[in-house]
Amino acid sequence: ILQQASLAYRLALKNYSVGQSAYTDLLNAYNAERNAEISAIGALASVWAAQAALQAAVGDTSPNAMP
């Protein structure tokens, strides 16, 4: 999803720069890309939290065990 949002933003920027789309289209694409990035970061944080919980549950709390 993040790659698609990034591509959509780049296309919107290109279209806006040559006068083929409105500024609001560019802003919408930018916001969609940022939202996709925020979602990806949130998902990664969830993975790390789950990994930490699993390691704690099995008694492995060493720093080297963390991703």
Side-chain angles (χ1 to χ4, degrees):
I1 294 175
L2 182 55
Q3 290 177 339
Q4 291 171 334
S6 294
L7 176 60
Y9 172 69
R10 288 193 306 269
L11 291 174
L13 181 59
K14 185 176 184 177
N15 288 339
Y16 175 74
S17 68
V18 296
Q20 292 182 346
S21 67
Y23 185 62
T24 53
D25 295 334
L26 177 62
L27 291 179
N28 288 335
Y30 176 80
N31 286 334
E33 183 185 31
R34 295 287 72 79
N35 288 336
E37 189 174 53
I38 290 167
S39 294
I41 291 168
L44 186 57
S46 294
V47 167
W48 288 344
Q51 179 71 28
L54 176 62
Q55 289 170 339
V58 297
D60 185 4
T61 58
S62 65
N64 293 334
M66 302 301 282

